[in-house]
Amino acid sequence: MPFKRPLLSSHTTDDSESQSESSHGGPSKRRRVSSPWNIEKDKPIVVYILQAKIHPEMMSELAMLVENHKVERGNKSLEGPSSVSELNLELTGDVEKADVIVTATNMRQRLERHVEWRIAKTKAIVTPLWLQDSVKSGRPVPYRSYIAVHHLEDETSRSHDTVQDASSGSSSNIPSEVEKQTEPAELVDATEVELLSHTAKYSCLRPSPLVCPNQSLVKEIDVIRQGRNVEGEERSMLSYSRAISVIKAYPHVITEHNIRDIHELPFLGVKILSMIEEFLKTGQITEAQTMLANPRFQSLSAFITIHGIGPHTARRLYDLGLRTLEELERYYEVKPGVSDEETMPLLDAEASANTEAAGERSIKIGLALRHDLGQTIPREEVEEINGTIMRELGHIQKGCKSVIAGGYRRGKPQSNDVDIVITHTDWNLGSQKVKGLCRKLVQRLHEQGLVTHVMYLSGFHEHNVLRTHHWDSLEKALTVFVSRHNSSRRNVYRRVDLIFAAPEVFWTAVVGWTGSTMFERDLRLWAKQQKGMKFDSSGISRRHDSKLYHPRTERDVFKVLGLVYIHPTLRNADA
C-alpha cells in the first residue's frame, strides 16, 4: 500500500484562519507520545522502522537519514552556530524502546502482525514521509499530518494542543504552515484503494503512487519517452507515457518469475515488453543509454527546461546551430541573473500570451533567471509562499480560500513550481467576488515587490463544451515570485501560478491542476468515452445538452464522473 500523505495545504483570508483545526472537547486521559515536542529537548527521538511493505532500497535510505543526521549533530560544533539542528534522531531495532514507529502499513490488522497493539498504542505511528520531511526541515514536524494507522488517528490528533503549546514555548521559532491548515489532512482510505485495479485501461481507475516498486525501470523508459517528446513524435511519446502509467500502478517488483503476469496489462506491447526483459537482465535499456549519450538529445532536453521553449522551438534553435544554454543566452542577449523584460503592462490590457513577442519575452525571462527557476522548492517553502499570497489577497478581498495543487498535492517532497487554486467561500456571490481578482492580486504583489514578472495573464471565459484544446478558461496568472524563505540567505525567484475559480467549479479546478498529466488525460478520455461528458479544470458538462455540473467537494467531482475517489498521492501516473 502506498504511503499516506497530507491531502492538501489550504489557506483562507478570513478570521477563521486563527481558529484551531482540532477541538476534541476536553483533555485526553493520558499524555501520549504523539507530538515530537513532547520529548525532552536534549533527548533523541528514538525511531523504529518497520520493514514490512517497505522496499529494501527505501529501507536503507530511511535508515541512512537517521544515521547521517545524527552524525551531523555530532559534528555541529565544527560547523558553527548556523548549522545547529533541532532534530536529534536515534535508530533502534527494539520497538519497545522507540518513540516513533515509521511504517508503510496502514491497517491495524497488518500492523499487529509485527507490533503488539498494547505497544503500538503508546507510540507515534507515522508514514516514512514524516521522517523525510523532518530531516529536510531540520526539526521534528508535527505527527498529525503523517498518521499511518486510522485506528490511532483520534488518539494522535489529541496532541494538537500540546504541539501548539510546545511550539510557543522553548521552540517558538518552529511554527510551520502545517498548523495553519484550515481543513484536516485526509488520509488514503484503504477500502477505496481496494476498489481500484492496476489492470484497468484508464489511469483514473488505477492507484499510482509517487514512487512505485519498479521506479528504476520507469526512469529508464522515461528517457525514451522524453526522446520522442523533444523530437515531436507525439504518438510514440504517448505510447511510452501510457506504458509508464501502467508500470507505475503495478504493485509488485517485476522479476523474471512474474514477468508473464505483465503480459496481460494494457498498453505493454511487444517492444516495451522486450525492453523490460532487457532491463531485468542488464539493469538498463540500450536505447535509453544510447539516447542519454546523444548530443542532440542532451541539447534539446536542456532547451526545454526553459519556460517558453517547447520541443518545436527547441528544434528550431538547434537547427540554428545552438547547442548549450550559454549559447542561448548570447543568442537572446540575456545576462544571467538579470531580467529587464517588462511584463507589467499585461496588467493594463488584455494581451495574448500566444504572440511571438510574448513568447520571446518569456524565454528571455526564463533564461535570465534559470539558475533560480531550475531549483526545486521544498514543501515548507511552498506552504510559506501560499501563506504570503493569501495574506496579501486578504487586503483586497476577504473570505477567499486556496488549495496548493500540482506535484505538492500529489506528495512530492520537492516541487518545480507552485500552483495555487483560489476561490471565494460564498457559494452564491463568490463568482462575482473573484472575477477580476487575479489582476488585482498580481498588481498588489508587484507593488509589494513579491512578483517581478508575469509570463501569462488571462481573464475568465465561460466553460465551452465545444472547445477542443485543453488550456482551461479560468482566470490565471503565471508569475515569477520573489521567495523570502527563512532558510535562504538571499531572495530566490520561483515560478508561481495563480488560478482563480468560481466556487461552483473550484473543485473541478483543483482536480485539474493537481495532475498528473496522464491522470488528467485519462480523466478527459473517461468522461468523453464512458460518460458522454466533457471535463477540464474549468468545469464538467454533458455533451449532448451542455448541462453543467457544480460539484461542492473533490469527491463529488469523481462521483459526477462515475469514478471511485482516488487520493491525490495516488494520481502520480507519470514518471
Side-chain angles (χ1 to χ4, degrees):
M1 187 66 60
F3 304 154
K4 297 180 285 187
R5 305 173 189 265
L7 173 62
L8 53 88
S9 179
S10 60
H11 223 293
T12 61
T13 60
D14 57 21
D15 293 337
S16 64
E17 175 182 322
S18 62
Q19 297 176 355
S20 172
E21 67 184 49
S22 300
S23 297
H24 296 283
S28 56
K29 293 182 180 178
R30 59 181 176 178
R31 186 184 182 102
R32 292 192 173 276
V33 188
S34 46
S35 162
W37 294 306
N38 286 348
I39 299 172
E40 297 172 19
K41 185 175 181 182
D42 296 327
K43 180 183 176 183
I45 298 176
V46 182
V47 179
Y48 176 86
I49 305 174
L50 183 61
Q51 190 167 358
K53 298 184 71 64
I54 296 181
H55 190 274
E57 289 184 8
M58 174 63 75
M59 184 71 183
S60 177
E61 290 177 11
L62 294 174
M64 287 298 292
L65 283 179
V66 179
E67 293 298 330
N68 287 347
H69 198 73
K70 188 174 181 180
V71 170
E72 289 177 9
R73 289 186 56 84
N75 294 335
K76 69 185 180 188
S77 60
L78 300 176
E79 302 169 60
S82 62
S83 66
V84 175
S85 170
E86 296 171 15
L87 182 64
N88 186 3
L89 301 176
E90 180 178 317
L91 192 65
T92 182
D94 186 346
V95 68
E96 292 196 41
K97 293 181 180 179
D99 300 307
V100 183
I101 298 176
V102 175
T103 178
T105 299
N106 61 6
M107 297 179 68
R108 173 176 174 172
Q109 297 91 322
R110 293 176 180 173
L111 182 67
E112 285 185 297
R113 296 174 187 172
H114 311 280
V115 181
E116 292 181 36
W117 191 243
R118 64 173 180 83
I119 297 175
K121 290 193 296 183
T122 66
K123 312 295 182 184
I125 313 292
V126 297
T127 66
L129 186 61
W130 173 84
L131 180 57
Q132 295 165 335
D133 284 358
S134 293
V135 170
K136 288 186 179 73
S137 301
R139 59 177 177 78
V141 296
Y143 296 139
R144 71 176 183 278
S145 295
Y146 304 86
I147 300 167
V149 179
H150 284 286
H151 288 83
L152 295 175
E153 181 176 352
D154 291 340
E155 295 165 275
T156 305
S157 295
R158 290 193 191 109
S159 68
H160 176 75
D161 292 337
T162 306
V163 174
Q164 295 283 46
D165 293 342
S167 65
S168 62
S170 62
S171 300
S172 58
N173 59 334
I174 298 182
S176 87
E177 290 297 323
V178 177
E179 276 86 54
K180 298 180 182 178
Q181 289 186 5
T182 56
E183 298 184 46
E186 183 177 351
L187 304 177
V188 175
D189 188 327
T191 59
E192 289 176 333
V193 175
E194 289 172 358
L195 296 174
L196 304 173
S197 172
H198 69 272
T199 63
K201 176 182 176 182
Y202 299 91
S203 60
C204 54
L205 298 174
R206 302 190 296 256
S208 305
L210 181 62
V211 179
C212 73
N214 300 285
Q215 196 64 33
S216 54
L217 169 62
V218 166
K219 184 178 179 181
E220 197 81 353
I221 296 176
D222 191 55
V223 172
I224 303 172
R225 181 207 62 81
Q226 176 75 327
R228 301 295 190 269
N229 177 47
V230 296
E231 294 296 350
E233 300 173 15
E234 294 186 8
R235 291 187 63 181
S236 181
M237 180 198 72
L238 181 57
S239 295
Y240 282 99
S241 296
R242 291 203 179 284
I244 287 170
S245 72
V246 170
I247 297 171
K248 280 297 291 285
Y250 190 66
H252 312 294
V253 177
I254 300 173
T255 67
E256 294 180 353
H257 300 293
N258 66 5
I259 193 169
R260 289 187 178 182
D261 295 340
I262 68 171
H263 284 245
E264 307 301 320
L265 298 178
F267 306 117
L268 299 184
V270 175
K271 187 173 183 179
I272 295 289
L273 289 171
S274 66
M275 289 180 175
I276 294 174
E277 291 175 353
E278 179 188 1
F279 180 83
L280 292 179
K281 293 177 181 177
T282 66
Q284 60 185 25
I285 298 173
T286 301
E287 185 174 349
Q289 295 303 311
T290 301
M291 197 167 287
L292 286 172
N294 187 316
R296 177 180 169 89
F297 173 80
Q298 294 170 2
S299 294
L300 296 179
S301 297
F303 291 173
I304 64 172
T305 63
I306 304 302
H307 180 80
I309 299 182
H312 177 76
T313 302
R315 293 194 300 276
R316 179 178 63 81
L317 294 169
Y318 187 90
D319 290 343
L320 291 175
L322 304 175
R323 297 294 183 267
T324 66
L325 293 178
E326 289 73 21
E327 290 174 355
L328 286 193
E329 288 174 344
R330 292 192 289 271
Y331 176 79
Y332 282 103
E333 299 179 341
V334 164
K335 182 179 179 181
V338 179
S339 176
D340 298 324
E341 294 299 311
E342 182 56 61
T343 60
M344 288 306 129
L346 285 172
L347 300 176
D348 302 324
E350 287 290 344
S352 171
N354 294 323
T355 64
E356 185 175 344
E360 183 164 320
R361 196 161 48 227
S362 290
I363 292 173
K364 288 184 176 181
I365 296 168
L367 265 176
L369 306 180
R370 66 184 174 89
H371 293 291
D372 276 5
L373 299 182
Q375 296 177 16
T376 55
I377 314 170
R379 294 180 69 85
E380 184 180 14
E381 185 180 348
V382 171
E383 294 159 5
E384 217 171 81
I385 290 171
N386 178 55
T388 299
I389 288 173
M390 294 308 290
R391 282 193 294 273
E392 294 300 323
L393 180 58
H395 292 289
I396 305 171
Q397 177 67 66
K398 298 291 184 183
C400 291
K401 69 176 182 178
S402 69
V403 167
I404 306 171
Y408 168 91
R409 194 158 184 264
R410 299 198 310 277
K412 284 190 173 184
Q414 302 281 331
S415 299
N416 295 316
D417 60 6
V418 183
D419 301 319
I420 303 175
V421 185
I422 302 169
T423 192
H424 198 277
T425 54
D426 188 331
W427 181 270
N428 296 318
L429 301 177
S431 59
Q432 291 302 313
K433 291 184 177 182
V434 297
K435 193 170 185 179
L437 202 51
C438 183
R439 190 182 304 273
K440 294 177 184 177
L441 174 60
V442 173
Q443 181 68 56
R444 178 175 177 84
L445 294 173
H446 176 59
E447 292 169 355
Q448 298 295 319
L450 293 169
V451 163
T452 58
H453 301 87
V454 180
M455 306 282 209
Y456 176 90
L457 182 72
S458 70
F460 275 118
H461 303 283
E462 294 297 324
H463 175 78
N464 183 359
V465 72
L466 300 177
R467 187 162 51 84
T468 56
H469 60 82
H470 303 308
W471 188 236
D472 62 54
S473 54
L474 299 171
E475 184 171 312
K476 66 182 75 66
L478 313 187
T479 72
V480 175
F481 183 89
V482 179
S483 177
R484 296 163 180 170
H485 187 51
N486 293 334
S487 64
S488 303
R489 295 186 177 181
R490 63 177 181 86
N491 294 339
V492 181
Y493 294 104
R494 303 298 197 191
R495 268 285 316 280
V496 176
D497 298 343
L498 305 172
I499 304 98
F500 281 78
E504 57 267 26
V505 297
F506 174 67
W507 286 109
T508 315
V510 170
V511 170
W513 279 82
T514 294
S516 60
T517 300
M518 183 52 64
F519 188 89
E520 297 302 320
R521 179 189 290 273
D522 279 359
L523 268 184
R524 294 192 296 269
L525 276 178
W526 169 269
K528 178 181 179 180
Q529 296 175 354
Q530 302 298 325
K531 294 297 175 181
M533 294 178 172
K534 182 179 186 302
F535 167 85
D536 66 25
S537 299
S538 52
I540 303 174
S541 56
R542 197 160 58 192
R543 288 180 177 271
H544 77 268
D545 61 1
S546 300
K547 176 185 175 181
L548 298 175
Y549 295 85
H550 297 148
R552 286 180 175 264
T553 67
E554 184 175 38
R555 289 179 178 274
D556 284 347
V557 175
F558 284 78
K559 190 178 295 183
V560 168
L561 295 173
L563 292 167
V564 175
Y565 176 74
I566 298 183
H567 192 276
T569 59
L570 296 180
R571 301 179 202 168
N572 292 286
D574 299 336

